[in-house]
Amino acid sequence: EARMVESGGGSVQAGDSLRLSCTGSGFTFADSNKDFDWYRQAPGGVCINIAGISRGGTFYYDAAVKGRFTISRDDAKNSIYLQMNNLKPEDTAMYYCAAHGGWPDDCTRPTTGDWGQGTQVTVSP
């Protein structure tokens, strides 16, 4: 069974940095033909795809994070990462990783792909 597990969230102050990690099991990243993405969902908000690496090697960033966040992958570790710099209070949310996750409205109720349980990021002013 494919599974994704996020880690690295926490409570920080505005301007700080965090690095989220997501490790997959049950399949091999290098052999898969999957897109990998990071999403976030604030309380009362919708699920937003904020960064992704496509199976073809194309990068995607939401306008809200472009220039501050960087997605990367390490196939040897079956992992993807999200380096988040210059964090802002509006970045406060639950962050999720997914393989082939699509574009769900609710990150807690995805209809496709393999998802993690999320890691909380809280940014204070």
Side-chain angles (χ1 to χ4, degrees):
E1 179 184 358
R3 187 173 176 225
M4 308 286 278
V5 179
E6 304 93 341
S7 62
S11 296
V12 297
Q13 293 191 326
D16 287 349
S17 299
L18 278 175
R19 187 185 190 224
L20 305 184
S21 300
C22 173
T23 300
S25 60
F27 69 103
T28 302
F29 279 29
D31 295 337
S32 72
N33 195 29
K34 297 178 184 289
D35 302 329
F36 294 94
D37 295 89
W38 285 98
Y39 302 75
R40 69 185 184 189
Q41 187 164 4
V46 297
C47 186
I48 301 173
N49 185 328
I50 58 170
I53 300 179
S54 75
R55 70 196 81 178
T58 301
F59 291 86
Y60 162 80
Y61 293 98
D62 184 83
V65 307
K66 195 170 185 178
R68 299 188 297 124
F69 292 11
T70 303
I71 187 172
S72 61
R73 65 188 281 174
D74 185 340
D75 287 353
K77 296 183 178 180
N78 238 36
S79 296
I80 62 169
Y81 305 95
L82 187 68
Q83 178 66 42
M84 306 187 295
N85 296 330
N86 189 23
L87 283 160
K88 304 176 181 181
E90 52 263 43
D91 294 319
T92 295
M94 186 72 80
Y95 285 70
Y96 301 85
C97 67
H100 249 39
W103 299 84
D105 292 329
D106 185 343
C107 295
T108 65
R109 298 178 180 179
T111 58
T112 187
D114 303 305
W115 287 70
Q117 293 299 306
T119 186
Q120 177 69 38
V121 173
T122 303
V123 185
S124 302

